[in-house]
Structure formats: structure tokens, C-alpha cells
Amino acid sequence: MGKYKVVEKFVSINGEAKKAGELACFIRFAGCNLNCSYCDTKWANAKDVSYELLSEEDIYKFIKEQKVNNVTLTGGEPLLQEDFDMLLEYLSKDSSLYIEIETNGAVCIDKFCNISDNISFTLDYKLPGSNMESFMTLENYSLLTNNDTVKFVVSNVNDLDRAKEIINEYNLTNKVTVYISSSFGEIKPEDIVTYMIDNNMNKVKLQLQMHKYIWDPNRKGV
């Protein structure tokens, strides 16, 4: 069995991607290989962050105790956890679970993308406003399926321009579900909508970080 560094586990609504608004059981892992300008979980990436070392069985037991079928594996960057493929294989044996992996786009998903049909990726493309665009692993776009999501967090119009370029270059709206989300407090959602109208961005979905509108944006465990 593997051991995984879990900094937080809780039930809330999913704030983003395909299951937004639905209950989800969140498992947040320690550590990240990026340092985004707008990161709202920097505390989880600190080298001295407190964590529990949990096995596949421990994590599965917690999930089942919550009686919630949606599972969000997040971070930090969950794909950096040693033996993460073993965890996915263990959890995905339960066909009643829908397992979403939130990944930052800077780790190749090839090792994880053919494990089970009840696993999906919500993969970020880090735009210039994040200061992390140069770390994007572009080969991931040939591995995604229509079960997956690509998410762009935008801070300004320059980010919107770049998101449009990437969507077109990789034909994303015909391969995956595509979301644009505002970096909270950086750009007005109505400005994103205006941009989408002006640029005929069909099949692209605007999404707000729902949990930040319901609770204090800095609150943990939601």
C-alpha cells in the first residue's frame, strides 16, 4: 500500500468544473511544483505543512463514510504524490464513485489517464497572469478525452487572448469541456462575458468559483 500526504479532507459543494454545485468529498494533498500568482492554497504547498499519512484504504474509508459519490482529488498538485496511480486504481474499483483529479497542467497525465472510465481530469492551463505558463505540459492535450475538462483562470484581457489562442490551437472545444474562470477579484465576470460575445467563443463556459461567493474567499475546508 502507498502512503499519501493529505492536508485536508472534507465535504462541500464542488465549486468548479463539470460537477459544480454538487456535493463532493475533497481530498487535498500536500505539495505543488508551481507557484501561481493567484494561488489560494499556498498553505498546502509549504514545505512544513502539517499532513496525515494515509493509505488507499484510509482514504477510501473516509470517502465512503461521507456517503457522497463525487470525489475531488486536489492539492497542491495531487499527481506528484508517490504511487498516486495505485490510489486511483484502488478508488476506481468502486464504480459508484465519480473521481475528479484537479491538476495544474504541469505534470504529464499519461501514467494516469487509462486507469478507469470513472476518473476524469480537470486540467488547468496556466495563463500569463499566473506567471507559470512556461511550465505547461502541452502533450497532455493529446491525451485528454471528452470525459475531461480544461480550465483557464484569467486575470486580465491578455489572459483571455491567450486562452482563445490555446483553445483554437488545440481544438479544445471539440475534444473536452472548456471553462473560463475569473481570478477572484482580478477581473469582473461581466468583462469575461463581453469578451466571449465579441470573440464568438462558442462551447466555452464561464464559471465562477462558487465556494468563494458562498463563504469567505480565504476559508479552508469548503
Side-chain angles (χ1 to χ4, degrees), residues 62-204:
F62 175 79
I63 291 167
K64 296 303 286 186
E65 287 173 348
Q66 311 316 305
K67 300 181 180 179
V68 173
N69 293 332
N70 294 327
V71 178
T72 300
L73 306 178
T74 189
E77 173 48 60
L79 299 185
L80 296 178
Q81 295 291 309
E82 189 174 353
D83 298 323
F84 194 71
D85 54 331
M86 291 172 53
L87 174 62
L88 293 179
E89 288 169 2
Y90 191 96
L91 297 181
S92 64
K93 289 177 183 177
D94 186 339
S95 61
S96 72
L97 299 179
Y98 175 89
I99 301 162
E100 176 194 6
I101 304 167
E102 292 188 340
T103 179
N104 63 22
V107 179
C108 189
I109 66 172
D110 60 348
K111 185 180 177 181
F112 312 100
C113 61
N114 293 310
I115 292 174
S116 176
D117 290 340
N118 62 335
I119 296 172
S120 73
F121 292 89
T122 295
L123 186 142
D124 276 15
Y125 184 91
K126 301 299 184 185
L127 295 162
S130 72
N131 299 324
M132 293 289 120
E133 185 179 17
S134 63
F135 296 96
M136 293 297 90
T137 302
L138 298 177
E139 54 263 41
N140 282 334
Y141 295 102
S142 65
L143 300 171
L144 297 171
T145 72
N146 60 9
N147 194 38
D148 301 316
T149 295
V150 173
K151 178 165 63 73
F152 297 89
V153 177
V154 300
S155 301
N156 48 50
V157 173
N158 182 48
D159 279 355
L160 284 165
D161 287 338
R162 183 60 177 148
K164 182 163 69 74
E165 288 177 3
I166 294 297
I167 291 166
N168 292 337
E169 181 177 351
Y170 292 94
N171 194 26
L172 291 181
T173 52
N174 291 319
K175 294 179 180 178
V176 297
T177 304
V178 178
Y179 291 99
I180 288 180
S181 178
S182 61
S183 178
F184 192 80
E186 292 294 319
I187 186 172
K188 294 179 180 178
E190 55 262 42
D191 292 339
I192 299 176
V193 175
T194 298
Y195 185 95
M196 291 170 66
I197 294 169
D198 291 344
N199 289 273
N200 305 116
M201 296 182 76
N202 294 301
K203 295 186 179 179
V204 173

